[in-house]
Amino acid sequence: MPPPPETEPESGGDPAVSVAECLRLLEAVPAAASSSPAFRRHWPSISASLAALSAALSSPSFPPAAPLLSPLAAALSALLSATAADAPRLGHLHTVSLLSSSAASLAQLAADARLLAAPPPPPSSSASSSGAADSSTDALVSRLRQGSAASRAAALEELASTAASLPSSAAALAVPAVAALLDSAGACGDILPSTRERAVAVLAAFASSSAACRFLSEESLSASVVPHLCRALESSGGGAAEHACLALLPLTAASRDAAAAVAARGGVAALLSACAGGTPAAQASAAGVLRNLASFPDLLPWFLDEPAAVPLLLQLVSLGTPRAQELALACLQNLTSAAGTAGGGDDGHQQRLRVEAFQEGALAFVRDYLDAAGTRGGGDEPAGLAPALGFLRNMASFRYIAEIASGFAAHVAAALGSDRSATRTEAALALAELCGNAGGKTRREVVEEEAVVRRLVWMMDAAKAASERGAAARALAALMAASGACRKAFRKDERGVAAAVRMLDPAAGGRDEDRRFAVAVLVAVAQSRRCRKQMVAAGACGFVQGMVAEEVEGAKKLAECLGKGKMLGVFPRT
């Protein structure tokens, strides 16, 4: 015999309870409260709720068969029982607890009653569509809070289909209502797993809407949204886990507290399970949430506690969809970074993860990805190329790994010609790391050294982003320190010296570290009389004197070279 279908408690009101009965109970509470000393502490909040309830129930717009009449009558009866003659026999603590729970229940019921009693706003000619949307959302929110099981399910379906087009005012009402519905201890009673899954799907739809996503992020800080989404992650159904990942993706990106809550509730293991056996969309979203968590260095121990974390991410790089590959590579880049995006130095966790990634064959996976991508620019360039190069850069920070990875220099050099600033920046940083730790071995892998130098000079001269200019200076400093041919190619380019001198200017917006690399570039060619003239003409002397006072590395040596050039310029050649 098949099992009976699961049912959900209905929230419809008791037919025997009327508006008049509730108004009679409301009028009886103040008189009863005046004779009970226990009411004094809670009376301010209770009296405000009673006034709001009385006004709402007396309104002509209030529906006579509203579902909240039954719980309201029960709450008022419980409140009156606290002032009954036999109430002292219940004990003081019991009475105080009863008053506290009744005050909270009445506050929620008063808010619901105001919503039910509010007349729909009249449509205006200037904002008829927005007014209609707000009115429709008010009705949906009312059904979510006080409707029957079928009514709540239907309201969730309507919200899921309209979430992307909701205006901000309507989203501000809908997001808290759906978040509150996930709390099974609410006044409406427990909800079915199917209804909970629908609510998670609606939150995922809100996460994809620019208007609703902001309110969803705010709600996650004050409500129990994240715990419910983490519970959905652990469900056996693939749809619930996929929707939970979609909803968590913007929340964990916007809030460190949300990311920490996911990690603390075992979210890393659940997300890795979604990466291993979820749908392609769930895999990509789960990898994105893991990327967000990995951007906070203090959350890395949760990844170290999962031995399968790095192997699963590498498997996703190999077999996932392009979006999943991009996000998995970005997660690996954050895991192995020397300093996470949220700040903080390398405390050893990243080093352990780099070693683990290397032992799992990460370099082979990156090589296969770069070979498949072809490191082509323009529209053919995969979005995961930049994080792949960033991951390679982090791995190459170990000298031993850099020597093995020196064969990637040709891939990295080709990526310098990308049309995307982020890809060029990561390529320059990866080339600097390879040259700095593998030296001449990397330089021998760079076939067209002159073309590489020209690309880096262009980046340092014409790039809009200060980070890209700094990355180019760092790569040039490493190349020119290892290769005379690169120094010669730099001297041939008329833009090189002037671009490096401009980076010395503190007003240019670059970091102090970028200025240090620009000094290293100029020192590498300071033996050339022609380059020294170019430096002086570009105004390097004033910048260098200030950097000498700041004790910037290499500034004193560059000042001596420029001083030598000035003295030689005093005496004309004969």
Side-chain angles (χ1 to χ4, degrees), residues 411-470:
H411 296 83
V412 175
L416 291 172
S418 170
D419 292 338
R420 300 178 181 176
S421 175
T423 302
R424 295 194 301 266
T425 300
E426 291 296 346
L429 292 173
L431 187 59
E433 206 69 56
L434 289 171
C435 289
N437 290 320
K441 194 171 183 181
T442 298
R443 183 185 59 79
R444 288 193 295 270
E445 297 291 338
V446 180
V447 180
E448 300 179 358
E449 292 179 330
E450 186 171 347
V452 170
V453 171
R454 284 200 305 269
R455 291 172 188 167
L456 291 171
V457 168
W458 176 87
M459 289 170 58
M460 193 169 59
D461 177 60
K464 295 180 179 179
S467 59
E468 183 177 350
R469 296 195 299 270

Side-chain angles (χ1 to χ4, degrees), residues 200-537:
V200 172
V202 173
L203 292 181
F206 285 150
S208 63
S209 167
S210 57
C213 187
R214 176 170 62 89
F215 298 105
L216 182 60
S217 300
E218 295 173 356
E219 192 68 24
S220 69
L221 301 178
S222 59
S224 55
V225 173
V226 172
H228 286 298
L229 293 176
C230 291
R231 189 183 308 168
L233 272 178
E234 301 167 358
S235 64
S236 57
E242 178 180 340
H243 291 141
C245 291
L246 287 171
L248 285 171
L249 191 56
L251 297 184
T252 52
S255 168
R256 186 252 170 222
D257 291 339
V262 173
R265 294 183 64 89
V268 173
L271 290 165
L272 289 172
S273 297
C275 288
T279 63
Q283 289 179 331
S285 300
V289 179
L290 289 171
R291 174 204 60 183
N292 295 340
L293 269 60
S295 65
F296 300 101
D298 59 320
L299 302 183
L300 293 186
W302 298 101
F303 288 87
L304 291 170
D305 292 340
E306 299 294 335
V310 172
L312 280 174
L313 289 169
L314 290 174
Q315 181 181 358
L316 206 56
V317 171
S318 176
L319 303 176
T321 63
R323 179 61 174 167
Q325 289 177 319
E326 174 195 354
L327 294 172
L329 285 167
C331 181
L332 289 167
Q333 180 184 5
N334 288 341
L335 288 175
T336 57
S337 174
T341 58
D346 191 334
D347 59 357
H349 295 317
Q350 290 93 341
Q351 292 187 26
R352 289 176 55 188
L353 288 164
R354 286 179 217 142
V355 173
E356 182 180 349
F358 176 73
Q359 293 173 343
E360 294 292 338
L363 293 183
F365 284 96
V366 174
R367 182 185 291 277
D368 291 342
Y369 182 82
L370 294 179
D371 287 340
T375 62
R376 295 188 300 270
D380 295 333
E381 177 185 321
L385 183 55
L389 294 169
F391 179 40
L392 175 62
R393 165 172 62 96
N394 296 338
M395 298 294 293
S397 61
F398 279 178
R399 183 177 297 275
Y400 173 73
I401 299 178
E403 291 178 353
I404 298 175
S406 59
F408 288 84
H411 296 83
V412 175
L416 291 172
S418 170
D419 292 338
R420 300 178 181 176
S421 175
T423 302
R424 295 194 301 266
T425 300
E426 291 296 346
L429 292 173
L431 187 59
E433 206 69 56
L434 289 171
C435 289
N437 290 320
K441 194 171 183 181
T442 298
R443 183 185 59 79
R444 288 193 295 270
E445 297 291 338
V446 180
V447 180
E448 300 179 358
E449 292 179 330
E450 186 171 347
V452 170
V453 171
R454 284 200 305 269
R455 291 172 188 167
L456 291 171
V457 168
W458 176 87
M459 289 170 58
M460 193 169 59
D461 177 60
K464 295 180 179 179
S467 59
E468 183 177 350
R469 296 195 299 270
R474 182 172 182 176
L476 282 170
L479 279 173
M480 294 165 66
S483 168
C486 291
R487 292 192 292 273
K488 182 178 180 181
F490 182 85
R491 290 195 297 267
K492 287 182 180 180
D493 198 318
E494 297 290 341
R495 303 167 298 175
V497 170
V501 170
R502 283 196 298 273
M503 292 190 64
L504 303 181
D505 187 358
R511 301 176 302 171
D512 291 340
E513 186 180 19
D514 297 338
R515 298 172 66 202
R516 178 171 63 86
F517 288 121
V519 168
V521 170
L522 294 175
V523 168
V525 294
Q527 299 303 317
S528 166
R529 178 183 178 89
R530 175 170 168 269
C531 289
R532 289 197 301 270
K533 285 184 176 182
Q534 290 176 336
M535 294 178 203
V536 173

Side-chain angles (χ1 to χ4, degrees), residues 159-202:
L159 276 177
S161 62
T162 60
S165 58
L166 282 179
S168 298
S169 56
L173 296 174
V175 172
V178 177
L181 183 63
L182 283 171
D183 188 358
S184 61
C188 295
D190 201 4
I191 60 175
L192 291 174
S194 58
T195 304
R196 187 184 302 275
E197 184 173 341
R198 288 192 191 98
V200 172
V202 173

Side-chain angles (χ1 to χ4, degrees), residues 12-65:
D14 186 348
V17 179
S18 63
V19 174
E21 175 66 15
C22 289
L23 287 173
R24 184 189 66 79
L25 292 172
L26 284 171
E27 294 174 357
V29 171
S34 62
S35 62
S36 174
F39 263 85
R40 293 174 184 173
R41 179 180 177 183
H42 299 281
W43 181 245
S45 60
I46 290 177
S47 62
S49 299
L50 293 177
L53 285 166
S54 180
L57 267 62
S58 302
S59 172
S61 303
F62 190 85

